[in-house]
């Protein structure tokens, strides 16, 4: 009882989650393809488990799977209404990690408006954008920061332009280190952007399910690579 009480006082009873994801959003076909990691930690094992849609492919990452040894707790899944990872997936005070990928129809978009030499964007991604870089048809890159969801912001011409790197975007999917590639893309967007595309950084995960209900603290980081964004004049 003393040990349990000490643990609860130190960590509380609320679960936390974290998600890192990269989404390619084809605005012309309304298709979004997302890859990434999601993790959960709960001082007390949740009764309802985890919930994901049928379109999400999950790959659990656990120590026993790294070593391919037997043992561990039993896990159950219910596919009646969704992918319900019912029991054994998130246990008390043990982090649970998953790789995931999914492809689905989405209506989110970034609307680009041009008036003479002025370019502005309307954030229709459903979450605040921390930073955005947009490459025009001539390879010039424009940028803006702190764009609230639904707001319109004028872009400024960046000091760098598009750098040809055909393997850059493909590397985000083929590399084993997705997180490392995401950091590289955000640090050097000119090496990944193609003319007519944009890259947006968000501290949210609008293209990924929450997974665990009743989470007190959710941390997320998402990069959205927009393709086929049209301009309004």
């Amino acid at each position: 009882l003393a040990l349990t009480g000490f643990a609860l006082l130190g960590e509380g009873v609320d679960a936390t989650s974290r998600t890192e994801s990269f989404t390619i959003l084809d605005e012309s076909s309304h298709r979004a393809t997302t890859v990434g990691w999601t993790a959960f930690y709960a001082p007390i094992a949740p009764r309802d488990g985890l919930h994901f849609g049928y379109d999400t492919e999950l790959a659990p990452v656990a120590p026993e799977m790294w070593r391919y040894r037997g043992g561990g707790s039993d896990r159950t899944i219910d596919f009646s209404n969704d992918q319900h990872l019912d029991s054994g997936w998130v246990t008390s005070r043990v982090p649970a990690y998953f790789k995931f990928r999914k492809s689905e129809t989405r209506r989110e978009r970034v609307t680009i408006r041009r008036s003479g030499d002025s370019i502005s964007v309307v954030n229709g991604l459903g979450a605040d954008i921390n930073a955005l870089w947009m490459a025009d048809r001539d390879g010039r890159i424009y940028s803006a920061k702190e764009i609230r969801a639904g707001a319109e912001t004028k872009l400024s011409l960046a000091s760098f332009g598009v750098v040809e790197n055909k393997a850059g975007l493909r590397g985000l999917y083929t590399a084993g280190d997705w997180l490392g590639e995401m950091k590289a893309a955000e640090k050097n967007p000119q090496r990944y952007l193609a003319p007519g595309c944009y890259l947006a950084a968000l501290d949210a995960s609008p293209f990924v399910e929450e997974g665990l209900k009743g989470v007190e603290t959710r941390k997320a980081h998402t990069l959205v690579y927009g393709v086929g964004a049209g301009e309004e004049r």
Side-chain angles (χ1 to χ4, degrees):
L1 289 176
L3 290 174
T4 301
F6 178 80
L8 293 178
L9 287 174
E11 299 180 336
V13 296
D14 297 317
T16 60
S17 69
R18 181 171 180 174
T19 300
E20 297 273 351
S21 62
F22 179 82
T23 297
I24 290 184
L25 178 61
D26 188 337
E27 296 189 359
S28 60
S29 64
H30 304 291
R31 296 295 297 179
T33 300
T34 303
V35 297
W37 289 70
T38 188
F40 306 93
Y41 179 84
I44 299 177
R47 293 182 179 181
D48 193 36
L50 306 174
H51 289 268
F52 293 90
Y54 292 125
D55 292 331
T56 302
E57 177 188 353
L58 294 166
V61 181
E64 63 265 25
M65 295 178 181
W66 296 337
R67 297 188 297 266
Y68 196 68
R69 295 178 180 175
S73 58
D74 293 332
R75 298 178 175 90
T76 60
I77 302 178
D78 180 3
F79 290 104
S80 300
N81 300 308
D82 58 5
Q83 285 194 84
H84 181 193
L85 279 61
D86 192 5
S87 61
W89 298 93
V90 180
T91 57
S92 300
R93 304 177 64 191
V94 178
Y97 301 92
F98 298 86
K99 278 186 176 183
F100 65 86
R101 57 183 178 181
K102 60 187 302 186
S103 185
E104 58 186 343
T105 300
R106 302 290 296 231
R107 295 292 177 179
E108 290 87 346
R109 63 184 293 116
V110 169
T111 302
I112 301 173
R113 294 175 176 171
R114 183 187 291 269
S115 177
D117 294 332
S118 176
I119 301 178
S120 63
V121 296
V122 178
N123 176 10
L125 295 181
D128 296 348
I129 295 176
N130 287 340
L132 181 139
W133 302 269
M134 190 276 294
D136 68 7
R137 300 298 177 182
D138 297 320
R140 293 185 296 262
I141 294 179
Y142 296 80
S143 65
K145 293 185 177 181
E146 306 299 332
I147 310 173
R148 300 294 298 272
E152 182 174 359
T153 300
K154 184 178 179 180
L155 300 180
S156 300
L157 183 63
S159 59
F160 48 82
V162 171
V163 176
E164 185 174 0
N165 180 22
K166 296 181 179 179
L169 188 60
R170 179 177 175 81
L172 285 163
Y173 279 81
T174 58
D177 183 10
W178 289 343
L179 300 182
E181 289 291 326
M182 285 177 59
K183 292 179 181 178
E186 190 170 359
K187 185 177 181 180
N188 298 292
Q190 70 274 18
R191 293 183 57 82
Y192 295 83
L193 281 172
C197 299
Y198 66 83
L199 184 68
L202 302 79
D203 284 338
S205 53
F207 297 93
V208 184
E209 303 97 320
E210 293 184 349
L212 182 61
K213 298 179 180 178
V215 171
E216 181 70 17
T217 303
R218 293 187 185 275
K219 296 181 180 180
H221 181 240
T222 298
L223 291 183
V224 179
Y225 190 101
V227 180
E231 293 185 4
E232 295 183 356
R233 296 180 182 269

